[in-house]
Amino acid sequence: MDKLIKTSEFYDTIDLVITPVICANRSWEHRYFNKAFSMQIGYTTEEIPDVEGWFNKAYPDEAYRNEVKKGWKECSEKAERNSDPHKHLMARVYCADGTYKWFDVHDNTFGDISVITFLDVNDVRKSNDALVEALQQKNTLMSIIAHDVRGPLSNIRQIINSYDEMNFSEQEIKSILTKLDVQAEHVLNMIGSILLRTSREMDIFKEQYEQIALKKFLSKYRKIYNERLKQQEVALIFELQDDPVINYDPFILDVISRNIIDNAIKYTPKNGSIFISFEKKERSSDLVIRDTGPGMSAKQIDSILTNRGGSQIINRALDGFGVGLIMAKEILEKQGGKLLIESEPQKGTTFTISLPYDSHA
């Protein structure tokens, strides 16, 4: 009777604790959940009578469940080696109300009883994840800028270094300066745009949605790529009905569009064409860029569509293709867009920039 009274008093005590608590015996059968557990996580002892039931309910995804089990096994082995009755692991728990929450789960053994406590770290973890995501996004943007300004700056440097050796006429000098001015203006616009979108408080990228008239927006590419298009005898053809307008961040749209067009010009043969069209669908606004180039292999497409960023960006770009495009795709997806690629060798490539439904004008 004394033992029962003491057990009852113990349970009454842990009910006062604001942190969710599970009490289990040595066989990992659950004996008691405190009130905080019922309120914050929500399961009953009938729903999860033992540790296996807990794993199945709390971690419904099999792969993640196995990952958590592996983590607990490693923690248990380490605790046993150190004769430590305490072990803990941070995990994402599926609660009875259908939500996921991050908890720092602690397991302490007291004689024949294991007391498992759940420290709610969900808000901290979400804030951390958001900050890491934002910083990674900013790093990707900086990589894009570095990649995209290299060409124009190299051209300017080449002209300066070889100026004394070339006997340019006054007309040729004017033509060269005009071309360099176009490139320099575009570089400055890119840098200025990203600086305006960087939060001073957090030093992270902030998107800015605007109404974009596509005909005017796309017309600048004729000017930017005019010299290359003429040299390679490639036609840039707009197939836009009326004057479509979308609501999206113009900087992000420019980054992805410019990289696709740049690669299309690079790989489209002499007398080839690049077509740009637009289609407004029920769930998306699609900007389509199609070329008559040699096409892409399934391996090349996969290297772009499956890349996850970071240091793999450079390593996974095949045959010198798609470094900037891979980075541009990554930043597009961060803002709800999607890049689709259809291609066959010797039959050209179609890139579709699919913007989400809420980007409709």
Side-chain angles (χ1 to χ4, degrees):
M1 181 63 69
D2 289 343
K3 185 175 181 180
L4 289 174
I5 293 172
K6 290 177 181 178
T7 301
S8 176
E9 289 176 347
F10 176 72
Y11 290 158
D12 287 343
T13 300
I14 65 171
D15 269 337
L16 300 175
V17 178
I18 62 173
T19 300
V21 176
I22 291 178
C23 293
N25 62 18
R26 281 185 174 272
S27 300
W28 289 104
E29 296 170 330
H30 295 158
R31 294 306 189 195
Y32 192 74
F33 298 160
N34 74 340
K35 291 180 180 179
F37 183 93
S38 300
M39 293 176 63
Q40 297 181 41
I41 298 179
Y43 299 114
T44 66
T45 52
E46 289 75 21
E47 291 175 301
I48 45 173
D50 52 28
V51 68
E52 196 59 35
W54 164 254
F55 277 120
N56 290 332
K57 283 282 189 182
Y59 315 111
D61 179 77
E62 184 178 2
Y64 186 61
R65 179 166 63 245
N66 291 335
E67 182 183 331
V68 174
K69 283 185 174 182
K70 181 182 178 182
W72 271 116
K73 182 180 179 182
E74 292 173 354
C75 288
S76 300
E77 291 172 351
K78 181 179 179 181
E80 187 175 346
R81 287 195 303 270
N82 297 332
S83 300
D84 187 353
H86 168 259
K87 50 186 177 287
H88 81 100
L89 183 74
M90 192 175 294
R92 187 168 176 258
V93 173
Y94 181 73
C95 301
D97 64 0
T99 62
Y100 282 94
K101 290 182 181 178
W102 282 95
F103 289 96
D104 191 8
V105 187
H106 293 255
D107 182 358
N108 290 275
T109 302
F110 303 95
D112 293 337
I113 299 176
S114 285
V115 178
I116 303 99
T117 58
F118 297 79
L119 179 63
D120 188 342
V121 294
N122 195 60
D123 290 343
V124 174
R125 180 65 186 243
K126 285 170 68 176
S127 296
N128 253 4
D129 289 347
L131 181 58
V132 169
E133 181 82 6
L135 291 175
Q136 287 177 343
Q137 180 172 311
K138 183 186 174 185
N139 288 339
T140 301
L141 283 165
M142 292 307 177
S143 298
I144 289 172
I145 293 297
H147 174 268
D148 289 349
V149 303
R150 187 176 291 113
L153 292 181
S154 295
N155 291 338
I156 293 172
R157 184 180 182 185
Q158 183 179 2
I159 293 296
I160 293 172
N161 290 340
S162 58
Y163 179 79
D164 290 338
E165 301 173 8
M166 300 181 182
N167 296 316
F168 291 122
S169 67
E170 184 176 345
Q171 187 60 39
E172 287 173 328
I173 292 174
K174 286 182 179 179
S175 176
I176 290 170
L177 290 177
T178 299
K179 294 169 187 175
L180 291 180
D181 181 62
V182 170
Q183 298 296 324
E185 180 185 8
H186 190 58
V187 169
L188 288 172
N189 286 338
M190 282 192 296
I191 295 173
S193 183
I194 195 170
L195 288 175
L196 287 172
R197 287 163 169 75
T198 302
S199 167
R200 293 179 182 176
E201 292 82 10
M202 298 291 290
D203 199 30
I204 57 177
F205 179 83
K206 293 287 185 181
E207 68 276 7
Q208 293 182 2
Y209 286 80
E210 300 176 15
Q211 296 289 304
I212 305 172
L214 285 179
K215 276 190 176 179
K216 181 179 180 181
F217 178 86
L218 294 169
S219 65
K220 65 176 177 284
Y221 297 122
R222 288 191 188 279
K223 188 176 179 183
I224 293 169
Y225 294 111
N226 179 59
E227 191 64 22
R228 285 178 59 191
L229 290 167
K230 285 198 301 185
Q231 287 178 351
Q232 296 177 218
E233 298 182 29
V234 172
L236 181 59
I237 301 171
F238 295 146
E239 299 179 318
L240 301 173
Q241 300 297 323
D242 302 320
D243 190 5
V245 178
I246 60 172
N247 187 42
Y248 201 67
D249 187 306
F251 173 76
I252 297 173
L253 186 60
D254 176 56
V255 166
I256 187 71
S257 301
R258 180 165 29 83
N259 274 277
I260 292 173
I261 293 171
D262 184 83
N263 275 288
I265 295 172
K266 185 186 301 182
Y267 292 99
T268 298
K270 186 176 180 180
N271 296 320
S273 300
I274 300 168
F275 301 89
I276 301 180
S277 59
F278 175 79
E279 183 179 1
K280 185 172 284 189
K281 297 182 177 178
E282 183 180 356
R283 294 292 179 184
S284 65
S285 294
D286 293 353
L287 183 64
V288 181
I289 302 173
R290 175 173 60 88
D291 65 55
T292 58
M296 298 169 62
S297 67
K299 188 176 181 180
Q300 286 175 313
I301 294 174
D302 183 67
S303 74
I304 294 171
L305 295 183
T306 63
N307 194 281
R308 292 295 179 266
S311 61
Q312 296 180 349
I313 286 176
I314 303 300
N315 295 334
R316 296 189 61 180
L318 303 176
D319 304 324
F321 182 91
V323 175
L325 184 55
I326 290 170
M327 293 186 289
K329 168 189 170 288
E330 183 177 331
I331 200 64
L332 173 72
E333 290 177 344
K334 300 295 185 189
Q335 304 304 328
K338 188 174 183 181
L339 180 65
L340 308 173
I341 305 176
E342 297 178 27
S343 183
E344 289 184 49
Q346 310 309 318
K347 292 186 178 181
T349 303
T350 298
F351 291 89
T352 300
I353 303 170
S354 185
L355 304 179
Y357 176 76
D358 60 5
S359 70
H360 286 183

